[in-house]
Amino acid sequence: MDAMTATPARRVRRVLLAAPRGYCAGVDRAVIAVEKALEQYGAPVYVRHEIVHNKYVVQTLEKKGAVFVERTDEVPEGSIVMFSAHGVAPVVHEEAAARGLATIDATCPLVTKVHREAVRYAKEDFDILLIGHEGHEEVIGTSGEAPEHITLVDGPEEAAQVEVRDPSKVVWLSQTTLSVDETMETVGALKEKFPQLLSPPSDDICYATQNRQIAVKQMGAEADLVIVVGSRNSSNSKRLVEVALQAGARTAHLVDYASEIDESWLEGVATVGVTSGASVPDVLVEGVLEWLSERGFEDVEIVKTAEESITFSLPKELRRDLRAEADQRQAEARERPAAESA
Ligand code: SF4
């Protein structure tokens, strides 16, 4: 063929879809807890803070009758209030009790684990260096467990300024949704300053955050563009964008919906990586895949780096009430035939 008339070979367009992605066990539990509470008690059910950091999830639950508030004093006295998956400080439980609110605690059990560690080390009179992002709901909740013992360290560059009472009695804990690599960098910097720094007995960064980062690392290394589905206030989703870029992706963007993708991002792109944060329902990822498919990215390859099978039972207050209602229904069913035959 004449070189002048040949069309340049089109690079094969493909999508790499990370697995695992999306909902983790803590988010799944929290979202189901709101839905069950609405069924059990009827609307409105008040939820302190966004139950999980996802716009779509929050809007969907609002339509069903959930009312999201930022402060406990916004909840009318005598109502039901649910605490979000990020956890709350003990003072919030006290405020709720003072207002006569019935509470349902949807704090993720893996966040509760960090709270318990904070309480334990504070009792042993350790200085606790909490690695996390200032202002994040989870960090506020964990810090509230032992405010006099906890110092927040927001990244490796803050390590040099940290002061403790006794360098031989200091431990680090962390927010559950951080970048694993950056956290280890911060720990390294803290260890240089405090060689006797104690580590927590097990990872505070949760399995879901770690698994999603491992998958995006593998996928990001091959992708020209990575699209992370997640909200801007979602810590673990934002970390996925950073990890994708560190892994070698040319660009990476965070979007709530497919409609936020800019056509220009696809210029010169052959491989698009797609993943989603731990608070994102898969229907939003499906929207992105459809959008890409309409633009020639029909070939979808799964990049699977882990299997997840963890589930958490519903919050105990909700289980108690659901069980009581089921028992009552059973008792009524037992009495009915006796009454009918009388
Ligand atoms: Fe729990 Fe981790 Fe999910 Fe947060 S991201 S809700 S800590 S499992």
Side-chain angles (χ1 to χ4, degrees), residues 3 40 45 49 53 61 86 89 105-106 122 134 152 155 179 186 209 217 223 267 269 280 288 310 328 336:
Q40 175 73 11
V45 166
H49 197 65
H53 285 154
L61 291 173
H86 315 96
D105 190 356
E134 188 162 14
L152 182 66
S179 147
T186 309
T209 301
K217 236 184 214 178
E267 274 165 30
V269 165
V280 179
V288 168
I310 293 180
Q328 193 185 335
R336 213 171 296 127

Side-chain angles (χ1 to χ4, degrees), residues 24 26-27 108 110-111 176-177 206-207 209 278:
C24 60
V27 164
C108 175
L110 300 181
V111 174
T176 57
T177 50
C206 76
Y207 79 97
T209 301

Side-chain angles (χ1 to χ4, degrees), residues 12-77:
V12 179
R13 293 175 166 182
R14 62 176 183 152
V15 174
L16 300 178
L17 182 60
R21 64 178 180 280
Y23 268 21
C24 60
V27 164
D28 197 37
R29 167 189 192 252
V31 173
I32 294 174
V34 179
E35 290 169 345
K36 291 269 180 212
L38 284 164
E39 280 169 31
Q40 175 73 11
Y41 313 111
V45 166
Y46 291 85
V47 183
R48 188 182 175 281
H49 197 65
E50 293 188 351
I51 184 77
V52 298
H53 285 154
N54 186 266
K55 225 192 238 183
Y56 173 88
V57 171
V58 167
Q59 286 167 356
T60 306
L61 291 173
E62 268 173 345
K63 281 185 203 142
K64 293 182 181 176
V67 176
F68 293 91
V69 296
E70 281 309 309
R71 297 186 324 271
T72 316
D73 63 13
E74 294 173 66
V75 183
E77 287 192 14

Side-chain angles (χ1 to χ4, degrees), residues 4 13 16 18 26 60 65 110 133 142 147 161 191 196 215 223 229 271 306-307 331 340:
M4 296 294 287
R13 293 175 166 182
L16 300 178
T60 306
L110 300 181
H133 296 305
T142 307
Q161 280 86 52
K191 274 204 167 137
Q196 295 185 64
V229 186
T271 302
E307 285 281 356
E340 279 162 8

Side-chain angles (χ1 to χ4, degrees), residues 16-249:
L16 300 178
L17 182 60
R21 64 178 180 280
Y23 268 21
C24 60
V27 164
D28 197 37
R29 167 189 192 252
V31 173
I32 294 174
V34 179
E35 290 169 345
K36 291 269 180 212
L38 284 164
E39 280 169 31
Q40 175 73 11
Y41 313 111
V45 166
Y46 291 85
V47 183
R48 188 182 175 281
H49 197 65
E50 293 188 351
I51 184 77
V52 298
H53 285 154
N54 186 266
K55 225 192 238 183
Y56 173 88
V57 171
V58 167
Q59 286 167 356
T60 306
L61 291 173
E62 268 173 345
K63 281 185 203 142
K64 293 182 181 176
V67 176
F68 293 91
V69 296
E70 281 309 309
R71 297 186 324 271
T72 316
D73 63 13
E74 294 173 66
V75 183
E77 287 192 14
S79 309
I80 295 170
V81 65
M82 190 175 298
F83 298 138
S84 76
H86 315 96
V88 292
V91 69
V92 177
H93 286 278
E94 288 158 21
E95 285 166 10
R99 289 181 69 74
L101 306 177
T103 58
I104 301 170
D105 190 356
T107 303
C108 175
L110 300 181
V111 174
T112 304
K113 167 189 150 301
V114 184
H115 281 223
R116 290 211 184 104
E117 285 169 350
V119 170
R120 176 159 75 85
Y121 285 114
K123 266 196 193 140
E124 292 172 24
D125 204 27
F126 273 80
D127 273 349
I128 301 164
L129 306 181
L130 177 64
I131 303 173
H133 296 305
E134 188 162 14
H136 190 277
E137 198 64 20
E138 183 188 321
V139 161
I140 296 170
T142 307
S143 301
E145 292 285 358
E148 338 60 57
H149 286 263
I150 293 181
T151 304
L152 182 66
V153 186
D154 194 347
E157 51 296 326
E158 285 195 5
Q161 280 86 52
V162 176
E163 296 298 338
V164 297
R165 292 169 303 159
D166 177 358
S168 70
K169 224 171 169 195
V170 53
V171 62
W172 70 272
L173 300 177
S174 86
Q175 191 181 328
T176 57
T177 50
L178 300 181
S179 147
V180 176
D181 294 341
E182 193 186 295
T183 303
M184 291 330 288
E185 219 183 295
T186 309
V187 171
L190 288 170
K191 274 204 167 137
E192 266 181 38
K193 191 159 184 197
F194 308 115
Q196 295 185 64
L197 179 71
L198 197 68
S199 297
S202 61
D203 285 339
D204 286 342
I205 299 181
C206 76
Y207 79 97
T209 301
Q210 298 199 28
N211 285 348
R212 279 148 195 71
Q213 287 177 18
I214 292 167
V216 85
K217 236 184 214 178
Q218 187 160 323
M219 181 191 85
E222 287 186 60
D224 303 307
L225 159 73
V226 170
I227 297 173
V228 178
V229 186
S231 290
R232 271 159 190 73
N233 59 347
S234 160
S235 173
N236 80 86
S237 302
K238 287 195 287 189
R239 301 295 82 78
L240 291 176
V241 171
E242 293 165 7
V243 173
L245 290 170
Q246 283 155 8

